Amino acid sequence: LDWRTMLDSKGEGDICPDGRGPILICLDTSGSMEGKPADFAKAMTLECVRQARLEGRGCCLFAFSGEGQVEEFEVAAAGRQLPWEGLLDFLARSFEGGTDLQAPMGRCLELLRDASWQ
């Protein structure tokens, strides 16, 4: 699954024509993000989660670093209890390796093709 090829393809229409689809976040936890860049990225991630819940949109997070280093965390839709402890534990972790965007982008594209995420 090559996300670059998939993004270049035209497909058969918009995945979410009304523009209100899920929020999928790829969070770089590589070594180069250590310190303030990671803190900023994680703060922005929390705000995106908050906004997704306000808008009743699905939200899934992907923390990634080098090849094979990717973890996924699905945030419950609005109306359901947000697992704050699990979310904060997820955001506290870091791989601190290299940077490979292939796996998280591929997983995002898989979710966008899944009818339950549209």
Side-chain angles (χ1 to χ4, degrees):
L1 183 60
D2 185 349
W3 64 271
R4 289 167 284 227
T5 302
M6 294 173 82
L7 285 177
D8 288 341
S9 64
K10 296 286 184 208
E12 294 185 24
D14 293 336
I15 290 172
C16 186
D18 66 355
R20 307 300 293 174
I23 296 177
L24 306 175
I25 302 166
C26 293
L27 180 63
D28 185 351
T29 66
S30 65
S32 64
M33 291 293 290
E34 191 174 331
K36 287 183 182 181
D39 293 344
F40 180 78
K42 291 175 181 184
M44 291 300 299
T45 297
L46 282 173
E47 176 56 22
C48 289
V49 167
R50 187 187 74 80
Q51 195 63 38
R53 289 183 55 83
L54 284 174
E55 296 176 5
R57 299 165 70 181
C59 185
C60 194
L61 315 176
F62 302 91
F64 73 95
S65 185
E67 187 175 342
Q69 295 178 314
V70 63
E71 289 185 23
E72 186 173 331
F73 187 88
E74 186 175 336
V75 178
R80 293 180 50 204
Q81 181 68 27
L82 178 63
W84 280 108
E85 187 173 318
L87 175 60
L88 295 177
D89 286 345
F90 179 82
L91 292 174
R93 293 191 295 264
S94 241
F95 288 114
E96 300 176 352
T99 305
D100 181 12
L101 195 55
Q102 182 72 29
M105 286 299 292
R107 184 66 183 121
C108 285
L109 291 170
E110 288 173 15
L111 284 180
L112 288 173
R113 290 199 166 104
D114 182 337
S116 66
W117 274 90
Q118 294 183 16

